[in-house]
Amino acid sequence: MKVKVLSRNPDDYVRETKQDLQRVPRNYDPALHPFEVPREYTRALNATKLDRVFAKPFVASLDGHRDGVNCMAKHPNSLSTVLSGACDGEVGDDKTVKHWKMEAPAYGEAEEPLNTILGKTVYTGIDHHWKDPVFATCGHQVDIWDEQRTSPLCSLTWGVDSISSVKFNPIEMYLLGSCASDRNIVLYDMRQSTALKKVILDMRTNTLCWNPMEAFIFTAANEDFNLYTFDMRFLDKPVVVHMDHVSAVLDVDYSPTGKEFVSASFDKSIRIFPVDKGHSREVYHTKRMQHVITVKWTSDNKYILCGSDEMNIRLWKANASEKLGVLLPREKAAMNYNEKLKEKFQHHPQIKRISRHRHLPKMIYSQAREQRIMREARRRKEMNRRKHSKPGSVPLVSEKKKHIVAVVK
């Protein structure tokens, strides 16, 4: 029987004299480099700095309108087609719904609508079903129409105030949501021809947008400078309150991935929010851009379109530092590696400070500081009342529940 005995050569680890340095075994495996963390931290810091250096989000400006751009729509099958409407009188509040062809008219052919429906009241919003030849209009009430009929299939109402916006759910396509001027957000079921439930907020909601990946999640743009992401099953409080705008939020649209959304505000800026975060990751603005009325996120998840009061439609990159054009395999690998490094070291103070820094217009900066002071004052006042009052007499209300007045089913 053979027995193998472990043996070590003393010359490999024993010093000849006391003045010699201790010999340390070295591992040549690059995955076990002794300075791996400092080296990766330096790379993450450099990648974060380069992101800010190459952050050039503005791509192009589309002209042609003679008044402020008020609405936009994406083509469901064409990435290069976007429809826009302005306050120049071409489409007016004349109680009609017109059905048009997408193709340009042939030579000598008059551009006439295919079908015209005359309604009883002024329509303030319209949205088409994602698959069926059905669309919904809103005004005094929500009407469901068939494209081939001149009378609505059904009318949905809950209250008497005017409704400003209506949106179909892209997943559960028989569900609708609407925003009314009496601060209500109402959900409808087209199959039952009835309203399901509504939530009443402190201030008016301008519009809402459904998450394209989660059927029960929607985000509402409110007049109180905030956006509220709700779960339609639990409307007693929002899932997340998104706070960064300093004026009324007028429009919101989700990315195709459902992980982020973009908002347009009266404060002359647009912001990109992660759906699960309370603060924006990006803010876009220019010197000439006025109140932003409408915004859309393109279906390829690369660009953002916004329409504002000064008659322009601006095209932005969804990722400010992204390189346009074809990427080589090595460039893709380097980009993915840098993204993972930034994610790994995102909470380090230096990297966090650089990645969060944004230049803001003086107006937005001063208003944000003023609102922050006001919030702190209200918080101190509430704490003082709770401290000097009988225990339990001043209830502690979370930020999520502060803005909800009631839920009606």
Side-chain angles (χ1 to χ4, degrees), residues 348-366:
H348 284 240
Q350 186 76 354
I351 293 179
K352 185 177 181 180
R353 183 187 65 83
I354 296 172
S355 62
R356 289 180 58 187
H357 179 73
R358 297 293 182 276
H359 289 287
L360 293 173
K362 185 177 180 181
M363 182 270 296
I364 295 180
Y365 180 80
S366 59

Side-chain angles (χ1 to χ4, degrees), residues 103-117:
E103 296 82 12
Y107 179 75
E109 182 183 356
E111 191 170 4
E112 295 291 336
L114 299 176
N115 187 23
T116 302
I117 300 172

Side-chain angles (χ1 to χ4, degrees), residues 40-59:
E40 286 190 342
Y41 173 79
T42 303
R43 290 176 180 175
L45 185 62
N46 292 336
T48 306
K49 290 179 179 178
L50 288 175
D51 259 2
R52 302 315 310 151
V53 168
F54 293 113
K56 310 292 182 186
F58 182 73
V59 178

Side-chain angles (χ1 to χ4, degrees), residues 288-302:
R288 295 185 180 182
M289 189 160 69
Q290 296 301 311
H291 311 305
V292 189
I293 309 297
T294 180
V295 69
K296 292 294 176 187
W297 199 309
T298 58
S299 300
D300 59 352
N301 199 31
K302 285 187 174 294

